[in-house]
Amino acid sequence: MMEKWREAVEHARGGESKYKILVQAISSDIEQHKLADDQRLPPQRQVADALGISVQTVTNAYKELERQGLVRCEVGRGSFVSRRMSDRVASYILDAPERALVDLSTARIIHTPEHDRYWRETCAELANEVDQSWIRLCRPVAGFDAHRDAACHWLGRLGLPGLAREDVLITNGAAHGLFLALASLAGPDDLVLCEGMTDHGVIGNSQVLGFNLKGLDTDRDGIDPEHFEDICSNERVTALVCTPNLNNPTSALMPNSRRKEIASIARRFGVHIIEDDVYGPLLNQYEGPPISSYAPELSFYCTSMTKSVLTGLRIGFLKVPKRLALRTESILRVTSWMAAPMLAEVAARWIMDGRADTLIQLQRRLLETRQKLVADEMGRYLYCHRPHSLNAWLNVPAHWDVSSLVRTLRQQHIAVTSPEPFTVRGVTPARGIRLCIGAETSESELSQALKTMRMTFEQYPGVHDF
């Protein structure tokens, strides 16, 4: 292994940085799976001696690999391969359906014939219209006025009334919105806080943008304000990313009193808030208005249609602090120019004519039914039960290893997600699994899968687990 690294360094051309060449050689071995996940890299002095370079050069290479998310360095233990979350997530969450498998690994809404009917009707409407300026124009980058007005109407109903269109950007889904917010604030060496278990996209963004991500203690009510305040008191924090409504994966739901407390702490220490409310529209009654409503000058607020109205309607709405509006819009311009206008047109129409509301009400009823099936079969293992959540977080019995349980369920044609893709570095992985109830399966098939899961939970694992 090190022979290849030595040859790469020896053949460096004049002016080439040896540490960058070493970074390229090691990253190539990681990406080609010549170095396995969690494999320990050779000690830095050993590499330096073998390659005939300084220890500082190796140290710089290892630090850059860590910044890129390819290596994790643990004090007293060494450096270990840690492939980027964006590369690893497909091994936890299925990227394509498999036959004869009940896929409970992907967070999505329950698709129905009504969704198909609304989409076909809308496509027919658009096909018969002569004036379709939104399909031939490529400005304004922030979104067409009518689309931003509809977004303001939508956000007003979610607890942010009185927004002007200048406060909102149209994005290609919530993930795009979160990236824009993080890119507007955080870069290498900045500290960003989030729930100890958070959406894997946030973890991936930390590796792409290079900021330091630290997880906060949480419970069924979300982030622990005392832990948030303690870190803010002792470290310079740039931003807090949080999901107060139905956190993914735990479905934690933050009460209004805690939202006010979090906002107050953020204001006191000048910490920006990036609030992901993609699941908020599914709630019948909110625990309280968004955290962003208590500190609007510091807050980005992001939501979308994907997790509540229609999976393929990948349009998001990002409320931006006024003093960062130009900066965030410029990042939108260079990352995608503008959101897909056709999807934004469909989203705006459905918001204003009530079709979005109709589909959300339908989704709530379906989720209630499926969550009841989960509670009936898996109630003793539920971490917390939310009738309108797309997920359920199940505590794993003490006699099971989490990874072994996930593998055993997969052998029984049931796919669930372990804690790894959601766990922030430095946080002890929870003993639980995420179960997503929007699977494209019938209620009877889901019920049978849940019965199989319960029986598996109650059994003891095999002596040899491979």
Side-chain angles (χ1 to χ4, degrees), residues 113-344:
E114 283 80 359
H115 291 85
D116 291 331
R117 179 170 62 84
Y118 275 19
W119 178 253
R120 288 194 300 269
E121 289 175 354
T122 304
C123 288
E125 293 169 10
L126 297 177
N128 290 320
E129 292 182 7
V130 176
D131 183 14
Q132 298 187 0
S133 57
W134 41 268
I135 203 63
R136 66 176 183 270
L137 300 178
C138 59
R139 293 181 181 84
V141 170
F144 295 125
D145 288 351
H147 299 165
R148 296 170 84 183
D149 289 343
C152 290
H153 178 76
W154 185 256
L155 297 181
R157 295 182 50 196
L158 293 176
L160 292 175
L163 293 177
R165 67 171 66 129
E166 293 75 21
D167 300 324
V168 179
L169 302 178
I170 308 298
T171 67
N172 288 308
H176 185 209
L178 290 174
F179 176 83
L180 295 177
L182 285 164
S184 298
L185 296 171
D189 301 324
D190 285 326
L191 176 60
V192 175
L193 305 181
C194 65
E195 293 99 340
M197 293 188 69
T198 188
D199 185 271
H200 57 82
V202 175
I203 300 174
N205 278 327
S206 72
Q207 296 167 352
V208 171
L209 296 171
F211 58 80
N212 297 314
L213 188 65
K214 181 176 287 190
L216 294 169
D217 295 340
T218 61
D219 55 24
R220 290 173 174 82
D221 292 332
I223 290 169
D224 178 2
E226 290 187 6
H227 193 204
F228 178 42
E229 183 173 23
D230 180 60
I231 293 182
C232 290
S233 299
N234 292 285
E235 301 187 55
R236 184 174 181 177
V237 178
T238 297
L240 167 69
V241 186
C242 60
T243 308
N245 288 326
L246 305 178
N247 163 266
N248 180 28
T250 65
S251 293
L253 186 59
M254 188 180 291
N256 190 40
S257 58
R258 190 172 291 195
R259 296 173 193 235
K260 289 181 179 179
E261 193 172 359
I262 294 292
S264 175
I265 295 168
R267 267 188 158 162
R268 194 176 345 135
F269 291 97
V271 175
H272 283 89
I273 298 167
I274 302 174
E275 185 170 5
D276 179 359
D277 197 24
V278 68
Y279 302 104
L282 293 172
L283 295 174
N284 258 331
Q285 294 182 333
Y286 293 95
E287 291 294 298
I291 296 176
S292 301
S293 68
Y294 296 116
E297 75 284 2
L298 291 172
S299 298
F300 289 84
Y301 173 91
C302 182
T303 188
S304 78
M305 315 293 279
T306 307
K307 303 297 187 184
S308 57
V309 179
L310 183 66
T311 301
L313 196 55
R314 299 200 62 80
I315 283 295
F317 307 132
L318 179 66
K319 176 266 174 191
V320 182
K322 290 186 184 298
R323 69 184 184 87
L324 289 170
L326 291 177
R327 176 176 177 81
T328 309
E329 184 177 337
S330 69
I331 298 173
L332 168 62
R333 180 181 293 108
V334 299
T335 55
S336 69
W337 186 260
M338 67 186 304
M342 181 176 178
L343 291 182

Side-chain angles (χ1 to χ4, degrees), residues 14 22 39-40 52 54 68 94 114 124 131 133 139 211 232 258 297 322 347 364 375 393 404 409 419 437 439:
L22 182 56
Q39 181 174 338
R40 190 175 185 273
S54 69
Q68 294 180 18
L94 298 186
E114 283 80 359
D131 183 14
S133 57
R139 293 181 181 84
F211 58 80
C232 290
R258 190 172 291 195
E297 75 284 2
K322 290 186 184 298
R364 288 171 177 161
W393 184 253
S404 296
L409 290 172
I437 65 173

Side-chain angles (χ1 to χ4, degrees), residues 393-444:
W393 184 253
L394 303 177
N395 293 317
V396 170
H399 56 269
W400 273 104
D401 171 77
V402 175
S403 297
S404 296
L405 179 58
V406 171
R407 286 195 298 269
T408 301
L409 290 172
R410 187 63 175 271
Q411 292 166 4
Q412 298 177 64
H413 309 293
I414 300 170
V416 295
T417 312
S418 65
E420 279 79 2
F422 311 107
T423 305
V424 178
R425 182 179 299 170
V427 174
T428 302
R431 285 189 49 79
I433 57 175
R434 187 188 71 170
L435 182 156
C436 302
I437 65 173
E440 292 189 1
T441 187
S442 67
E443 288 183 13
S444 61

